[in-house]
């Protein structure tokens, strides 16, 4: 599939999505949302894709937020619908059965920070900056930011970031647990690829079940521990679980088929 606002590539079963509006620091406008939604669907439907990276084009920004130019004439009803639409797309990323990680290569502000947080985990370049500056615009985050920031870094730090609009640098994001690694900018995609290459050797059914069970912790309509019990049990009906345990006992590498 081709996209007007995204660059995509598929190498060794890793799908890389690069948001490509460098003149606007990769801000999320209507077209990016349509493309991103379709690209997330492509991850699920293309069996050659095992995992994905989301990053931004250029060396300055991951995504500098929702496109503020599209905010100026929205009615309350239209803004409410936009927030719902953004949340739905980001839920789709969060609930992807295939791992989706963010390679944050610069500013991740507003909707950009929210996009990174919807991914399963984050790797940052040393020049990355994170923030929810919506208060500066008389707004609040609308694409899940108030929820996921609190989940990821805790209530006190999250509320400080939300109400101050202050940015944090990559080192602080690492200290807060917002990102898993900070690497030199030139190493960012290599690091993301290396991690996904390892994950891609694991049993896909088990990988999907880990994501689902971890997400269930935050799903107020589901008991996460019960979800874990059910997912754990489900693994035992899969060929990959038999292959994985057998390979361990036979002291060889497993060959997983996703069944
Ligand atoms: N929406 C629309 N356009 C944006 C944007 C956004 N969120 N963020 C940046 N841009 C545009 C700028 O308007 C500018 O466009 P122009 O060249 O046509 O004037 C271009 O991207 C470059 O940005 P600029 O502000 O000149 O770069 P900078 O290095 O001086 O500052 C930022 C970088 C990220 C600090 C600054 O762009 C910024 O504060 N952006 C908005 C962040 C924000 O509030 N995000 C949350 C939105 S809800």
């Amino acid at each position: 599939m081709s996209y007007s606002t995204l660059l995509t590539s598929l190498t060794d079963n890793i799908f890389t999505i690069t948001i490509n509006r460098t003149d606007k620091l990769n801000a999320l406008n209507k077209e990016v949302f349509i493309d991103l939604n379709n690209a997330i669907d492509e991850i699920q439907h293309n069996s050659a894709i095992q995992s994905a990276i989301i990053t931004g084009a250029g060396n300055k920004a991951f995504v500098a937020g929702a496109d503020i130019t599209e905010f100026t004439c929205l009615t309350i009803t239209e803004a409410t619908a936009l927030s719902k639409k953004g949340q739905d797309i980001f839920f789709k990323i969060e609930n992807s059965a295939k791992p989706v990680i963010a390679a944050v290569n610069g500013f991740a502000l507003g909707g950009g920070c929210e996009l990174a947080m919807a991914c399963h985990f984050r790797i940052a370049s040393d020049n990355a900056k994170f923030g929810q500056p919506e208060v500066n615009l008389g707004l609040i985050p609308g694409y899940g930011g108030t929820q996921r920031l609190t989940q990821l870094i805790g209530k006190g730090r999250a509320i400080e970031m939300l109400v101050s609009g202050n940015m944090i640098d990559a080192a602080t994001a690492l200290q807060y647990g917002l990102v898993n690694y900070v690497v030199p900018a030139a190493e960012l995609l290599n690091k993301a690829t290396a991690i996904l290459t390892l994950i891609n050797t694991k049993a896909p059914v088990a990988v999907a079940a880990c994501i689902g069970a971890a997400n269930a912790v935050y799903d107020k309509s589901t008991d996460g521990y019960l979800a874990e019990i059910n997912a754990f049990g489900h693994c035992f009906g899969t060929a990959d679980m038999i292959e994985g345990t057998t390979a361990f006992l036979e002291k060889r590498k497993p060959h997983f088929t996703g069944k």
Side-chain angles (χ1 to χ4, degrees):
M1 216 169 155
S2 71
Y3 302 97
S4 63
T5 63
L6 308 177
L7 304 171
T8 59
S9 65
L10 178 58
T11 308
D12 296 334
N13 308 109
I14 299 171
F15 190 54
T16 301
I17 299 170
T18 305
I19 298 167
N20 186 30
R21 290 185 77 213
T22 46
D23 57 331
K24 298 295 175 191
L25 302 186
N26 305 322
L28 303 173
N29 66 1
K30 281 192 194 107
E31 287 74 26
V32 177
F33 262 164
I34 291 167
D35 281 350
L36 203 49
N37 191 38
N38 289 332
I40 304 309
D41 286 343
E42 185 174 352
I43 293 171
Q44 310 313 313
H45 299 143
N46 184 345
S47 60
I49 297 173
Q50 272 189 278
S51 56
I53 299 168
I54 299 180
T55 193
N59 54 17
K60 190 168 172 185
F62 172 71
V63 167
D67 191 319
I68 298 167
T69 62
E70 291 185 348
F71 281 3
T72 51
C73 54
L74 291 186
T75 64
I76 291 174
T77 308
E78 287 166 340
T80 305
L82 177 65
S83 175
K84 171 82 170 66
K85 188 167 109 187
Q87 281 200 7
D88 285 348
I89 295 170
F90 288 6
F91 275 133
K92 213 187 248 194
I93 296 172
E94 184 168 63
N95 292 317
S96 166
K98 301 177 186 180
V100 181
I101 68 173
V104 180
N105 57 312
F107 290 112
L109 303 177
C113 190
E114 292 173 293
L115 172 61
M117 292 192 295
C119 293
H120 295 131
F121 58 91
R122 290 142 292 285
I123 303 169
S125 60
D126 49 11
N127 66 329
K129 288 206 162 48
F130 297 81
Q132 296 290 162
E134 287 87 349
V135 281
N136 296 329
L137 303 167
L139 293 170
I140 69 161
Y143 307 153
T146 59
Q147 304 305 293
R148 293 194 181 94
L149 192 63
T150 310
Q151 291 164 7
L152 285 164
I153 69 172
K155 187 174 167 186
R157 286 166 168 167
I159 290 182
E160 182 182 352
M161 281 183 71
L162 292 165
V163 302
S164 69
N166 282 344
M167 290 185 216
I168 57 170
D169 62 14
T172 306
L174 183 66
Q175 188 206 331
Y176 282 9
L178 186 56
V179 302
N180 292 14
Y181 306 93
V182 177
V183 297
E187 289 301 312
L188 183 64
L189 289 181
N190 287 343
K191 179 72 180 176
T193 302
I195 294 171
L196 290 182
T197 300
L198 171 70
I199 293 171
N200 286 353
T201 66
K202 311 300 176 187
V205 174
V207 167
C210 286
I211 292 170
N215 281 341
V217 172
Y218 302 102
D219 181 349
K220 295 188 183 74
S221 61
T222 314
D223 180 331
Y225 288 102
L226 180 61
E228 186 178 277
I229 289 168
N230 291 335
F232 185 78
H234 175 76
C235 290
F236 283 69
T238 66
D240 275 350
M241 181 269 171
I242 295 168
E243 167 63 7
T245 48
T246 305
F248 175 80
L249 294 173
E250 293 177 354
K251 300 190 187 306
R252 61 174 172 80
K253 284 204 164 141
H255 175 68
F256 294 121
T257 58
K259 301 277 163 41

